[in-house]
Amino acid sequence: MLRRANLLLAALFWAGGAAAGEMADSELARAPSAERVTALQAESAQKGWAAVAAQLRAAAVRLYEQHGAQAQAWYDLYRWADLFGQTEHQAVSRWVDAIRQAPAGHANMPTELRVTERPLGVLAPPELQAYVMGSQDFSDQFFTLLSPLDQPAMAISILAELWRRNPAEFKDYASLAIALAVVYDVPPPPDWPHGQVSAQALSRSLVPPPEIFGFLIKSDRAGALLQPLRKLPASELKYVVDTSAGFDEMLWAQRKVNVPLAALGKIYDIIRYRRDRIEAGALVWPQTSYRLPAILQAGGICVDQAYFAAMVGKAKGVPTLIFRGAGLDGRHAWFGFLDGSGHWQLDCGRYADQKLVAGFAFDPQTWTNISDHELMFLSEGFRRLPLFKTSLIHRQFAEVYFNGGDFAAAAKAARAAINIERRNLEAWDVLLAAQERMGAPPRQVEGTLQEAALAFQRYADVEADFKNRLVRSLRGRGETSAADFLERSMARKYEASREDLSVQQAHDILGRSMEKDDVNGSIRTYYTVLNSLGHGAGIGFFDQVVRPFIEHLLKNGKPGEALQAVKQARQTLRVEPNAQLDRELSALTDRVQAAVR
């Protein structure tokens, strides 16, 4: 008792004699000590975490301005204090706003949330607070991964639940704990992991976090997994914990599906392909059970093959993704996995003639689709390198300056981040936002947009986004010809390599014409777009260009012109007999012919 009292008095004395805002440069030159963390906890009990966060923010900024990247540890300490100091009401309100803005809401989310004014810090036991604030690796992983779409109160509550279960295992499998916290904070949507199976056959619910945490740890220690969980970061483990298979199915997969990691892609073909279901149009799983053994016994179509392979991979501790894509028949699915060398294999089960078709995969952290560039970032793994981590520090302080209203300093820090790693996408966003808030002239902003597009020319969706922003800027200051030229050149560039982006450009061009021109003008634009960008295009072009334009013509009383437009589309697009696009065109033709009569 006497020793405990002396330690407490020492902590209180240290906190009172050297508050965070008064820390000497000599202390800031070192990583925060355990004693400093204890002192901050004691100070928060008196003043509140919000006051401590303000002091730590000032100290971190001071250190950054003196020593740059050395400020990371103190910045992370500030972020913990800031997070713990937010009230439940504040944090959840910000999360709700982010969900609405994304938008990332879905039917399985709660419609009402009961929140209080208590600070989030009370959700974490003091011992957990001390551990996370004192662990640089934990802080780096957690805050690098944390998204505005994560429900912070639930994430902290999950961490606390896992900590109380077994603090020693929590520390040993800290990355796994983080992955569970950011995945299990929000329920999955009703169409996860895919929409071609009923809710009766497959429950869309996640098991309690402590249970999957314990199961995976036990499996790892028993040598039943193909990937050692303690060597994987939380950013990849989140693709392990997002399983919809039950524990008995996962055990079955561990014991019955024997395949080495290098050959995991072959699991896709273990499931017998049911062409009879395709011919009958039975795209939804027809049986009552969607358990892994049942799929193996019954066989399935591509989405079932992808699901089976991905769930077996997760059961064996391998990060996996299910891709849903629109191909020549309008339906296809494949899967990807993280191999033994740390590279993502993303084409397992993908047809050779669909290499240019973008697939959709859930990010289990946000339950939104993973962007194409994010998939490439995952595959390249450059964000694990020290150079990117240094760039990240500068971007983080750019955000601190921006949020504090110092836009010139924000632009300077963002530029420092970009100079170190040009693929730091968020740094470009901060730089552009800071230029806007400083009232930079349009030509300067356009120069930054051109520079950003060049930096991401290997990432088509990011390049297209920056160029589209450039198009809007040019159009906004009356440079219509330059904007039109850039827009059409983008569509031609992506036509051969990224049909989806080319289709988006075609959609934008035609949509603007339908909004501003008369019907005859929009008809001319339609045929220009169809003839220049539609040759060999598939169902995406039909969905984004042909169908909306036919609806536009019918709405404006032009059924004859609509019939000619849909006939020309059939002659121009890539239409395979009896495939999805063939059926969609036939149905649309019948509808237009009925209107002509």
Side-chain angles (χ1 to χ4, degrees):
M1 268 310 272
L2 181 61
R3 175 176 172 79
R4 182 169 178 268
N6 286 339
L7 284 173
L8 180 58
L9 286 171
L12 289 172
F13 171 79
W14 208 60
E22 304 168 359
M23 286 182 289
D25 290 346
S26 58
E27 183 184 358
L28 292 177
R30 304 185 302 273
S33 65
E35 291 80 11
R36 170 54 74 177
V37 171
T38 301
L40 291 172
Q41 288 182 284
E43 189 174 354
S44 72
Q46 296 178 336
K47 301 178 181 179
W49 277 114
V52 172
Q55 297 168 352
L56 285 169
R57 180 188 181 279
V61 169
R62 188 168 96 238
L63 179 59
Y64 173 73
E65 292 173 349
Q66 293 173 353
H67 300 290
Q70 293 182 25
Q72 180 68 68
W74 290 94
Y75 172 78
D76 286 341
L77 201 59
Y78 149 68
R79 290 202 66 182
W80 281 117
D82 180 63
L83 183 60
F84 290 154
Q86 295 177 36
T87 68
E88 192 175 14
H89 182 268
Q90 289 172 332
V92 172
S93 295
R94 291 171 185 167
W95 170 72
V96 170
D97 289 342
I99 292 291
R100 288 173 177 166
Q101 186 176 355
H106 57 76
N108 285 351
M109 283 186 173
T111 55
E112 293 185 8
L113 291 171
R114 294 183 180 180
V115 294
T116 68
E117 294 299 329
R118 61 181 178 175
L120 296 183
V122 304
L123 302 176
E127 298 81 9
L128 175 59
Q129 292 179 5
Y131 170 73
V132 299
M133 295 176 74
S135 171
Q136 189 63 56
D137 181 66
F138 191 98
S139 297
D140 285 348
Q141 289 197 66
F142 182 78
F143 286 119
T144 299
L145 197 56
L146 192 67
S147 159
L149 301 182
D150 286 311
Q151 212 277 49
M154 280 300 300
I156 293 177
S157 296
I158 291 170
L159 290 176
E161 190 177 16
L162 299 179
W163 176 270
R164 293 188 183 97
R165 175 188 173 276
N166 190 320
E169 285 190 343
F170 185 102
K171 294 178 182 179
D172 206 19
Y173 289 87
S175 299
L176 182 61
I178 295 172
L180 284 165
V182 299
V183 171
Y184 282 55
D185 60 320
V186 177
D191 58 342
W192 167 81
H194 66 81
Q196 292 174 242
V197 59
S198 69
Q200 291 71 34
L202 179 67
S203 172
R204 264 66 176 192
S205 60
L206 297 169
V207 300
E211 294 183 18
I212 185 68
F213 190 55
F215 176 86
L216 289 173
I217 291 174
K218 183 178 180 180
S219 298
D220 186 54
R221 290 176 171 172
L225 305 184
L226 296 176
Q227 290 272 27
L229 298 185
R230 281 175 288 188
K231 293 184 179 180
L232 296 178
S235 59
E236 290 170 344
L237 285 170
K238 71 178 188 177
Y239 300 108
V240 173
V241 301
D242 62 325
T243 178
S244 57
F247 293 134
D248 56 340
E249 295 176 79
M250 296 170 74
L251 282 171
W252 174 86
Q254 291 174 2
R255 296 167 180 170
K256 299 295 184 180
V257 185
N258 297 314
V259 61
L261 180 57
L264 192 68
K266 297 180 180 179
I267 294 180
Y268 184 93
D269 294 317
I270 290 177
I271 302 302
R272 175 172 51 90
Y273 189 71
R274 293 285 301 275
R275 185 166 296 278
D276 59 314
R277 278 181 53 191
I278 295 296
E279 294 172 351
L283 301 180
V284 176
W285 180 255
Q287 301 186 25
T288 58
S289 172
Y290 202 60
R291 293 164 57 81
L292 298 180
I295 298 173
L296 180 61
Q297 181 178 10
I301 58 177
C302 54
V303 72
D304 309 313
Q305 293 174 304
Y307 173 83
F308 180 89
M311 293 305 134
V312 168
K314 294 178 194 299
K316 291 177 172 288
V318 181
T320 62
L321 287 163
I322 299 175
F323 291 94
R324 304 104 58 209
L328 299 181
D329 60 355
R331 299 285 189 276
H332 188 52
W334 60 94
F335 89 107
F337 71 96
L338 184 72
D339 67 19
S341 61
H343 296 107
W344 279 86
Q345 305 298 323
L346 300 175
D347 291 328
C348 304
R350 195 175 193 179
Y351 296 157
D353 56 11
Q354 294 184 340
K355 294 297 184 183
L356 303 183
V357 177
F360 300 98
F362 279 114
D363 179 344
Q365 183 177 351
T366 63
W367 302 117
T368 59
N369 286 324
I370 305 175
S371 64
D372 295 347
H373 69 269
E374 179 64 25
L375 287 171
M376 290 186 70
F377 288 176
L378 272 176
S379 181
E380 292 167 354
F382 69 88
R383 290 180 298 189
R384 297 193 296 265
L385 302 177
L387 202 63
F388 182 80
K389 293 183 181 297
T390 303
S391 174
L392 178 62
I393 296 168
H394 291 286
R395 191 266 291 174
Q396 290 169 338
F397 278 94
E399 292 177 345
V400 170
Y401 287 126
F402 186 90
N403 293 333
D406 191 343
F407 304 121
K412 181 180 178 181
R415 176 57 72 178
I418 291 165
N419 289 342
I420 294 170
E421 173 51 77
R422 295 179 65 79
R423 290 172 292 184
N424 191 332
L425 179 57
E426 291 81 4
W428 287 102
D429 290 335
V430 176
L431 176 58
L432 286 162
Q435 288 181 339
E436 179 183 353
R437 296 296 290 271
M438 288 189 294
R443 290 183 184 276
Q444 180 184 348
V445 175
E446 289 168 8
T448 303
L449 288 169
Q450 289 175 327
E451 187 184 0
L454 183 62
F456 290 96
Q457 58 184 328
R458 291 182 54 248
Y459 310 90
D461 59 327
V462 181
E463 179 191 34
D465 178 65
F466 283 122
K467 285 188 173 180
N468 280 324
R469 291 161 70 176
L470 178 57
V471 165
R472 291 193 293 271
S473 179
L474 290 169
R475 207 179 297 284
R477 60 185 184 88
E479 297 288 345
T480 305
S481 297
D484 289 344
F485 177 81
L486 178 57
E487 195 168 46
R488 293 182 186 278
S489 67
M490 290 167 60
R492 287 192 295 271
K493 175 181 178 179
Y494 300 134
E495 184 178 11
S497 60
R498 281 296 303 272
E499 181 179 309
D500 58 318
L501 294 177
S502 178
V503 166
Q504 183 61 49
Q505 296 304 129
H507 170 81
D508 292 345
I509 293 169
L510 182 58
R512 190 163 48 253
S513 179
M514 289 191 296
E515 181 180 343
K516 296 182 177 180
D517 300 336
D518 60 20
V519 175
N520 290 332
S522 64
I523 290 175
R524 287 194 294 271
T525 302
Y526 169 78
Y527 283 110
T528 298
V529 168
L530 182 66
N531 291 329
S532 61
L533 302 173
H535 286 283
I539 198 166
F541 194 96
F542 173 81
D543 287 338
Q544 296 294 315
V545 178
V546 177
R547 195 202 308 268
F549 184 66
I550 300 303
E551 298 287 351
H552 176 71
L553 291 178
L554 293 177
K555 182 179 179 180
N556 284 275
K558 299 286 185 178
E561 289 81 351
L563 183 59
Q564 183 60 37
V566 74
K567 286 181 178 179
Q568 188 63 39
R570 177 176 283 279
Q571 295 175 13
T572 306
L573 302 184
R574 183 184 62 238
V575 185
E576 298 292 326
N578 300 317
Q580 183 76 14
L581 179 55
D582 186 19
R583 295 192 294 269
E584 296 278 1
L585 278 166
S586 296
L588 186 59
T589 302
D590 291 344
R591 182 182 168 204
V592 174
Q593 286 177 334
V596 171
R597 299 190 193 103

